[in-house]
Amino acid sequence: MVQAYRADTGNGGAGPQRTGSRFRDLRDRLTRDPGIWRRGIVLAGCSVLLALVMLLHAQIPNTIGNLGSLTETFLPWCAVFVPLLLILGLVRRSATALVALLLPVLVWFNVFGGLLTDKSGTGGDLTVATHNVNADNPDPAGTAQQVAGSGADVVALQELPSGKVTAYESALADRFPYHSVQGTVGLWSKYPLSNTRPVDIKMGWVRAMRTTVTTPEGPIAFYVAHLPSVRVKLHAGFTASQRDQSADALGKAISHEPLERVALLGDLNGTMNDRSLNAVTSQMRSTQGAAGDGFGFSWPASFPMARIDQIMVKGVEPMSSWTLPATDSDHLPIAARVKL
């Protein structure tokens, strides 16, 4: 062994010979150990199942605990099972398990690979930002100023408790001469607002609004919404029925919007993959999906796992989309720049 090592370091021509020897050893092992193909059948089945979940997630039924929506909310995280299956395949010395693992890897990159690239561009006419500030936020003024510091022309805030609205208004007054708060949501703008009104999303109190922002490039309808929260419960599964009803109502309101240019800012408590938000997502584009860098996860702020805060548009072109630094909220603020 020592002589072989010395020969390798002293003669560059020995490197390819050793590499070839390794390939021959691997070939001989595959030939001599037929069990390397018989072992790991269960692991191979798990890889196939993982690929099918990603490929056919829309077919997973919602009738039992909204399992389909729950799966779609965290669908990108199917990738975490790949290293686990790889390690188990190596431990089992199973060629079958390792070959089968290629299937979920290829499916994942086919479904989500486009989100790994930076699609952001330059230019644009309007910068917008949105943030669920958290009703228990201990520093409303600091949070508001931090979001405003992004350079946004229009800022939407959700989860505004009545006792703290004045603090947010005072913190944003210098930057935004126009604003409106409807229930627990509000919008601040550098440009005039008109035709402002609450939007009924079937909750019994106001958590959505609509207004027209008259920009130098013309009017654009802005919707701000905070859909009901969802919970994962052992006895009930993914409890999202109220959120789903509110999403349908919001989608209907947007479909009746007379203006051609529309933007939706808010906490939808769901991802673009979640079929239960189809009433909204089917008629609008995600700025992150169209012009973002990466997945743009926004919740929870301490370890973002899903993008449930959304900036969506129709009739305008997304140019860039990004997440902003954390505030004292449990959500990350997000921003986008669009071309009107």
Side-chain angles (χ1 to χ4, degrees), residues 61-284:
N62 259 343
T63 52
I64 303 176
N66 283 300
L67 182 60
S69 288
L70 177 60
T71 302
E72 289 165 339
T73 297
F74 299 103
L75 196 62
W77 290 94
C78 286
V80 302
F81 294 104
V82 171
L84 176 61
L85 290 170
L86 174 61
I87 293 172
L88 292 176
L90 292 173
V91 170
R92 288 285 290 152
R93 291 185 299 169
S94 169
T96 300
L98 296 178
V99 171
L101 190 57
L102 292 174
L103 186 59
V105 171
L106 292 175
V107 171
W108 191 92
F109 275 100
N110 181 62
V111 175
F112 298 110
L115 294 175
L116 299 179
T117 60
D118 185 357
K119 300 177 292 299
S120 59
T122 58
D125 308 305
L126 191 72
T127 301
V128 301
T130 181
H131 190 26
N132 179 327
V133 295
N134 189 355
D136 297 323
N137 193 313
D139 185 17
T143 295
Q145 291 170 354
Q146 189 171 335
V147 177
S150 65
D153 303 301
V154 178
V155 169
L157 302 181
Q158 305 90 51
E159 209 166 297
L160 296 169
S162 57
K164 296 182 180 180
V165 169
T166 301
Y168 287 103
E169 290 175 330
S170 300
L172 296 172
D174 291 340
R175 292 177 182 263
F176 303 99
Y178 309 96
H179 86 279
S180 176
V181 175
Q182 304 285 327
T184 62
V185 299
L187 186 132
W188 280 257
S189 172
K190 293 181 179 179
Y191 307 116
L193 307 181
S194 61
N195 298 322
T196 304
R197 62 178 183 272
V199 174
D200 182 11
I201 55 173
K202 311 301 181 185
M203 292 191 63
W205 69 95
V206 178
R207 287 198 5 174
M209 62 174 286
R210 181 260 180 226
T211 190
T212 298
V213 176
T214 304
T215 75
E217 288 75 27
I220 176 172
F222 273 86
Y223 286 78
V224 184
H226 182 195
L227 298 188
S229 299
V230 297
R231 298 287 185 269
V232 180
K233 300 179 181 179
L234 290 178
H235 66 281
F238 194 56
T239 56
S241 58
Q242 189 178 22
R243 189 238 14 212
D244 299 347
Q245 294 170 6
S246 292
D248 291 342
L250 178 62
K252 184 177 181 180
I254 293 173
S255 69
H256 292 159
E257 172 58 49
L259 293 183
E260 293 184 1
R261 296 188 290 194
V262 185
L264 168 62
L265 314 178
D267 174 6
L268 302 190
N269 272 305
T271 68
M272 294 296 294
N273 292 321
D274 191 338
R275 77 194 70 169
S276 296
L277 301 184
N278 279 350
V280 175
T281 58
S282 63
Q283 57 180 320
M284 307 190 79

